[in-house]
Amino acid sequence: MVDLAIIDTGISLNCFDNVASLESNICFSDVNNVHEDTIPENTMTHGTICASIIRTYAPSVLLHNLNVFINGICHVESIVMAIQYCLERNIRVINISFGTNYIKDDTDLKNVINLATDKGVIIIASARKNGIVTYPAHYSNVISVGVKTELHLRKNKIKINDNTSSLINVFACGIQHLYKGGRLIHVTADEPSYATAVVSALVYNALCDLNGETNSRKVIEVLSKEDKDNEKQR
C-alpha cells in the first residue's frame, strides 16, 4: 500500500461518504505546537473536499491529514514541517492543493522538496488558474496541475501538457460530484486545487501498479500513456 498526505486546511470525518478514516491527523499551523488536529465532524473544509475527491478515484488510499492553515493563513515553515513529517513516515505521495506567488525561492521549502523528491516522494501541487507562477507547483520536480475549460475533460480524465515551455505539467477537471448518504451534496468549481486532487489519486494508482518504485518523471510517463489511450477511445 502507498500512503498519501494532504497538506491543506485539515480534514473533517464523515462529511462525505468516503472520508471516514485517516492514518494520521496532525496540525502544523503553529510550528511551536504541533498537535493532533481537531476539526469537528461534518465540516466541509477545503482539505475535506480534496480528500473525498482523492478517495473517489483511489478508494483504498491511506490518507494522512496535515493541516497547515490557521484562520485562512499558512506559513511556509508549516509546509516544510509537514513535508518533513512525510519523509519520517515514508509517505510517498503529497497533495498540495494550494499555492502562492509570494514565497518563490524560499530556501527551506526548496530544500525539503528537493530532499523529498530525491527520496522518491511524488509531490503534486496546484498552479494558478490565470497563469501566474505559483509555488510549490512550479518547482521543476513537482507535478503541477492546472485546468483548461476548452479541453472539456470529464471526471478523472487528464491531459498531459505538450507545451514544454509551460510550467503546468497536467490538466485535469476540477468539477467533481461528492456524496453523503448516497445523495449528491456538493459540486466543486472547475478550479486547479480540485483538479490536483484528481491527479493525486491517479498518481497513487500509478504507484500501486508500479509497486511504488518510481519517480515523478516515470509517473508522468504512465499518466501520458493513459492520456493517449483515452484519446484513442474518443
Side-chain angles (χ1 to χ4, degrees), residues 37-211:
D37 205 16
T38 55
I39 296 176
E41 290 194 4
N42 296 308
T43 303
M44 196 180 296
T45 66
H46 186 266
T48 306
I49 292 170
C50 291
S52 183
I53 293 170
I54 291 171
R55 277 255 172 89
T56 297
Y57 303 115
S60 62
V61 65
L62 302 175
L63 284 182
H64 297 259
N65 168 39
L66 308 184
N67 185 356
V68 294
F69 281 82
I70 183 167
N71 297 325
I73 297 173
C74 170
H75 297 287
V76 67
E77 294 85 359
S78 298
I79 304 173
V80 170
M81 289 189 68
I83 295 174
Q84 290 171 337
Y85 176 91
C86 294
L87 285 170
E88 292 166 2
R89 285 155 182 80
N90 196 32
I91 295 171
R92 291 295 313 283
V93 184
I94 300 175
N95 179 95
I96 305 178
S97 282
F98 61 91
T100 178
N101 60 321
Y102 294 110
I103 60 176
K104 198 173 182 180
D105 292 325
D106 183 272
T107 301
D108 290 339
L109 181 62
K110 180 182 286 186
N111 287 345
V112 77
I113 284 178
N114 287 343
L115 179 61
T117 55
D118 286 347
K119 291 182 177 295
V121 177
I122 312 298
I123 302 175
I124 307 98
S126 58
R128 286 285 184 89
K129 196 171 185 179
N130 53 9
I132 295 175
V133 173
T134 308
Y135 294 91
H138 289 156
Y139 287 128
S140 60
N141 47 357
V142 171
I143 296 176
S144 60
V145 182
V147 296
K148 199 171 185 179
T149 305
E150 56 267 35
L151 290 174
H152 302 293
L153 295 170
R154 301 288 183 182
K155 291 186 176 180
N156 61 336
K157 304 304 180 184
I158 62 166
K159 179 64 179 176
I160 302 299
N161 192 359
D162 296 325
N163 181 1
T164 55
S165 64
S166 172
L167 294 174
I168 296 177
N169 301 123
V170 184
F171 294 109
C173 180
I175 302 172
Q176 301 293 322
H177 294 73
L178 307 179
Y179 296 82
K180 174 71 179 288
R183 181 172 61 89
L184 176 66
I185 64 167
H186 187 67
V187 179
T188 60
D190 194 19
E191 296 292 338
S193 62
Y194 305 128
T196 298
V198 173
V199 175
S200 290
L202 300 184
V203 167
Y204 165 83
N205 292 333
L207 279 178
C208 290
D209 292 341
L210 294 165
N211 296 317

